[in-house]
Amino acid sequence: MRIRFILCFFISAIAFSQNDIVAKEYFKNGDFEKALNEYEKLHTKSPSNITYINQIVSAHQQLEQYDKAEAFLLKLMERINYPAFIVELGYNHQLKNDLENAEIYYQKAIESIDVKPSNVFAVARSFQNHSILDRAIIAYEKGMVLNPDYNFNLQLAQIYGEQGDIEKMLNSYVDFAETNRVSLSNIKRAINDFISEDSTNENNILFRKILLKKIQQEPNLLWNELLSWLFIQQKDFRKSFIQEKAIFNRNPESLSRIEELALIASNENENEIAKEIYNYIIETAQYADTKLEAHYNLLQLEIQGSSIDNYQSIKNKYLELIEEYGTYSQTLNLQISYAHFLAFYLNETEQATKFLEDALQLPLSELEKAKVKLELGDILVLQEKFNKALIYYTQIQRNLKNSTISQEARYKVAKASYYKGDFKWAESQLKILKASTSQLIANDALDLKLLISDNKYEDSLQTALKLYAKADLLAFQNRKDEAIKLLYKILKDHKTEPIVAQALYKQAQLFGQKNEFEKAQANYETIIANYRDGILIDDAYFNLAEIYEKQLNMPEKAKELYEQIIFNHADSIYFVEARKRFRALRGDAIN
C-alpha cells in the first residue's frame, strides 16, 4: 500500500512538472490562450505559487484582457497579502492607459513600505520587472532609510546603469563595495562594462574623480585598490604602482599585490615599469623567497631585452644569486634557469648539463626531479642528441604518469622525433596528447599533428617537411638567422606545396622576434592574400593586426583585421581577444 502511494505521488509530480514545461513553452511561443489555460490548471493545484499567478496576469495582459487580470488580482488580494500585487494592479491600469489609477496604486505600493519595511523587496522588484525604474529607485531608497541594515546600492547601481546615469551608478557600486568587499570582483566586472582602456574616456575620468574624492573625504584602502585597478585597465602601470605602494605602506603585511602588478606589466610587455616594480620588491621584501622570486623574474626580463654583448653580465648576476641563496631545492627554478641560459644563450652545453646533473643529487621530490630532467632533455635536443633526450623525457612519463609535466614530456618526445624526421612516431604520441588535460599542450599537439599529416604525403621522401622540421629545430636552438635562411629555401624550392603557408608563418614569427616587423608584415599579408582558406588565416589576421596596432601605429588597419576574425572566424582561439581589441580601438567600453 505504501509503495503504491509513493508511486502515485511520483507520477503526479512528474505530470505536474510536465504541465509546467508545456505552459512555459506556450508562453514562450506567443500562444497565450493555451498558456493561460495551462497556468490556470497549475494555479488550481498550487494556488499560492507566485510564478503561476504572475504568468496568469501576464497572459491576460498579452491578450489585452485587462479587466480579467484586475478581477483576478483583486480576488487574490482578499486572501494573500503580497504588496507586489498592488504594483501589478497599477501596471495593469498603465497598460489600459489609465494613468491616474496607475499612479494611485503605485503610490499605495510605495506607502506599504512605510507600514512594513520588508515589503521593499517585493515592491521594488516588481517595479524593476516592469521597467518602472524611477519608482524602483524611490522604493529602494525608502527601504534603506527605514532600515539601515538594508543595502540596495547594487540594485540601484544596476538601475542607474540602465538609465544611463553613469555617475550615480558608479557611486552606488562604490558604496556597495565599501560594505561588501566579498563582492568586489563582481563589482569590478560590472564597472568594466562602462570604462575603456582610454584614460580620456568620460566614464574613466568620472570614476577616477569619484575615487579621488573618496580618498580625500574618508581614507580607505579600498579606494586605492579600485584606483589601482582602474589604472591597470588603462594599462597605466606606473600610476597603479603608486597606488599599490600607498596600500603597502599603510598595510605592509604582504607584497603579493605588487608582485601581481609586476607580472601583469611584464605580460603586457611593459618591461621597464615591470623592472622598476621588481627592484622595489627586492629592496622592500623581508622574506628571502620573495626577494629571490623578484630577482628571478628580473633576470628573465633582462634576458628578453638583451643583446649578446650583455650575456656575460647576466651570467655573473646568476652566479652572484646562486652564491647568495645557495644550491638547494628552494632555489631549483633559479638553477634550472641558469642552466638554460648557459646552454641556449652562451652555448655552454657541457657546463649546463653538469650543473643540472649536480642538481639531481639534491634531496628533490619526483616533480622537482622531473623539472630538471625536462631541461636536461631540452639541452640534449639543442645538441641534436635526440635519443639521449628521449631517455629523460620517458623517465618523466614513467615516474609521474598522467601529470601535466608527464604530458609535457610526451609532447617533447613527439617534438624530438619530429625534429629528427621520425614523423610516424611523432604522430602516434601527438594523437594521445589531443586529450591532454592541459589545453595549451593539447593545442600545441594538434598544431604539430596537422603540420605533419598535411605535408607528409606530398612526396615519398618528405623533403619539404624535413627541411621545415630542421628550420623549426634551428629556431628552438636560438639560431634564428639560419632558420630564416632555410625557410627561404623552402619558399623557393617547394613553392607549389602546402607547407609554404606554414613556412611563411614561421618566418614571420622569427622576424617578429628579431623586431623586423615590416618583413613579418609582408609574410602575413602574403598568407592573407594567397591562403585565405587555410588553417593559419586567423593566426595571420591576429598577428598582423598586433603589428599594425602596437608596432606601426596604424589602428584603423588593425581594427579591420580584428573585424575579419570577429565576423568570419568566430571559432578562432583569437576571437575573444580580437573582439576586445576591436572594441577598444573603436572607443567602446571594455567587455
Side-chain angles (χ1 to χ4, degrees), residues 77 81-87 104-124 127 139 142-143 146:
M77 290 169 70
N81 181 20
Y82 187 57
F85 292 158
I86 306 172
V87 178
I104 290 169
Y105 280 112
Y106 291 157
Q107 197 55 41
K108 277 185 181 179
I110 289 169
E111 287 170 359
S112 75
I113 300 169
D114 290 311
V115 177
K116 188 179 180 183
S118 62
N119 283 350
V120 65
F121 294 96
V123 169
F127 279 131
K142 182 182 277 285
L146 293 170

Side-chain angles (χ1 to χ4, degrees), residues 253-394:
E253 290 181 11
S254 169
L255 282 160
S256 59
R257 289 181 59 87
I258 294 178
E259 289 177 288
E260 185 181 353
L261 176 61
L263 185 62
I264 294 169
S266 62
N267 286 341
E268 290 289 339
N269 295 317
E270 295 287 346
N271 291 346
E272 290 311 308
I273 182 61
K275 288 177 184 178
E276 194 177 317
I277 298 169
Y278 282 128
N279 277 316
Y280 175 82
I281 294 168
I282 291 165
E283 292 166 8
T284 311
Q286 299 296 311
Y287 298 105
D289 58 340
T290 306
K291 285 191 178 193
L292 179 60
E293 182 71 16
H295 276 299
Y296 172 86
N297 288 319
L298 198 55
L299 273 172
Q300 306 318 302
L301 289 176
E302 192 169 346
I303 293 167
Q304 189 179 322
S306 184
S307 65
I308 195 167
D309 297 335
N310 198 39
Y311 287 172
Q312 189 59 45
S313 171
I314 293 172
K315 179 181 178 180
N316 292 337
K317 287 179 182 178
Y318 269 116
L319 291 172
E320 286 169 13
L321 287 172
I322 290 166
E323 176 70 25
E324 182 179 352
Y325 291 97
T327 50
Y328 307 105
S329 59
Q330 292 87 342
T331 63
L332 189 64
N333 286 342
L334 179 69
Q335 295 174 61
I336 293 171
S337 176
Y338 173 58
H340 183 87
F341 181 74
L342 287 177
F344 284 83
Y345 289 86
L346 293 175
N347 201 27
E348 297 176 6
T349 52
E350 297 305 321
Q351 188 179 340
T353 301
K354 175 69 169 62
F355 187 78
L356 289 176
E357 286 172 346
D358 289 345
L360 280 176
Q361 304 309 309
L362 297 170
L364 304 177
S365 68
E366 284 300 324
L367 179 59
E368 288 170 334
K369 286 178 185 176
K371 288 179 180 178
V372 176
K373 288 179 179 180
L374 207 62
E375 188 62 42
L376 278 166
D378 288 352
I379 292 170
L380 287 165
V381 170
L382 175 70
Q383 297 172 282
E384 300 186 33
K385 296 177 180 178
F386 301 115
N387 291 335
K388 287 186 177 179
L390 293 174
I391 293 170
Y392 280 118
Y393 296 147
T394 306

Side-chain angles (χ1 to χ4, degrees), residues 14-26 38-39 42 49 51-52 55:
I14 291 166
F16 193 75
S17 175
Q18 286 175 335
N19 289 343
D20 182 64
I21 293 166
V22 169
K24 283 179 183 173
E25 199 62 28
Y26 281 140
E38 292 299 326
Y39 277 120
L42 290 164
N49 187 302
T51 300
Y52 299 152
Q55 290 300 88

Side-chain angles (χ1 to χ4, degrees), residues 16 88 117 119 150 196 203 267 290 322 326 344 347 365 386 405 415 457 461 532 535:
F16 193 75
E88 293 299 329
N119 283 350
Y150 291 159
S196 81
N203 293 347
N267 286 341
T290 306
I322 290 166
F344 284 83
N347 201 27
S365 68
F386 301 115
I405 200 166
K415 203 75 188 277
Y457 298 118
L461 297 175
R532 197 172 290 273
I535 60 171

Side-chain angles (χ1 to χ4, degrees), residues 325-555:
Y325 291 97
T327 50
Y328 307 105
S329 59
Q330 292 87 342
T331 63
L332 189 64
N333 286 342
L334 179 69
Q335 295 174 61
I336 293 171
S337 176
Y338 173 58
H340 183 87
F341 181 74
L342 287 177
F344 284 83
Y345 289 86
L346 293 175
N347 201 27
E348 297 176 6
T349 52
E350 297 305 321
Q351 188 179 340
T353 301
K354 175 69 169 62
F355 187 78
L356 289 176
E357 286 172 346
D358 289 345
L360 280 176
Q361 304 309 309
L362 297 170
L364 304 177
S365 68
E366 284 300 324
L367 179 59
E368 288 170 334
K369 286 178 185 176
K371 288 179 180 178
V372 176
K373 288 179 179 180
L374 207 62
E375 188 62 42
L376 278 166
D378 288 352
I379 292 170
L380 287 165
V381 170
L382 175 70
Q383 297 172 282
E384 300 186 33
K385 296 177 180 178
F386 301 115
N387 291 335
K388 287 186 177 179
L390 293 174
I391 293 170
Y392 280 118
Y393 296 147
T394 306
Q395 284 176 0
I396 295 167
Q397 287 179 254
R398 186 175 62 245
N399 295 336
L400 289 163
K401 291 177 182 176
N402 302 319
S403 65
T404 300
I405 200 166
S406 170
Q407 291 167 356
E408 188 178 351
R410 186 183 292 278
Y411 177 69
K412 287 180 180 288
V413 166
K415 203 75 188 277
S417 302
Y418 151 78
Y419 285 146
K420 68 175 187 172
D422 189 351
F423 302 125
K424 187 175 180 180
W425 180 246
E427 270 196 292
S428 70
Q429 299 300 300
L430 294 166
K431 281 178 185 176
I432 298 168
L433 283 168
K434 283 196 297 181
S436 170
T437 52
S438 164
Q439 192 60 53
L440 183 61
I441 294 172
N443 288 342
D444 288 345
L446 179 60
D447 287 344
L448 185 55
K449 185 181 182 305
L450 288 172
L451 169 68
I452 295 170
S453 59
D454 287 352
N455 295 284
K456 67 180 180 180
Y457 298 118
E458 282 308 304
D459 69 82
S460 58
L461 297 175
Q462 300 171 330
T463 307
L465 184 57
K466 286 177 181 176
L467 283 172
Y468 183 88
K470 177 62 178 175
D472 211 352
L473 175 61
L474 287 168
F476 174 77
Q477 292 169 326
N478 215 14
R479 294 156 66 185
K480 296 184 180 70
D481 291 333
E482 293 173 69
I484 288 169
K485 187 177 178 181
L486 190 53
L487 290 165
Y488 272 130
K489 180 176 173 58
I490 295 171
L491 296 173
K492 179 175 176 286
D493 297 345
H494 301 272
K495 60 181 70 174
T496 61
E497 296 179 31
I499 205 165
V500 168
Q502 194 75 45
L504 284 165
Y505 183 72
K506 184 70 179 179
Q507 203 179 50
Q509 288 181 304
L510 292 169
F511 285 140
Q513 290 169 23
K514 287 165 58 66
N515 294 330
E516 295 177 0
F517 298 112
E518 290 184 0
K519 289 181 179 179
Q521 174 191 350
N523 277 33
Y524 290 132
E525 286 175 346
T526 303
I527 294 169
I528 291 167
N530 300 326
Y531 302 94
R532 197 172 290 273
D533 297 327
I535 60 171
L536 294 170
I537 186 64
D538 58 328
D539 299 89
Y541 278 136
F542 187 81
N543 283 280
L544 182 55
E546 284 208 312
I547 288 174
Y548 279 134
E549 181 187 358
K550 297 178 180 179
Q551 307 300 334
L552 303 180
N553 195 26
M554 300 170 74

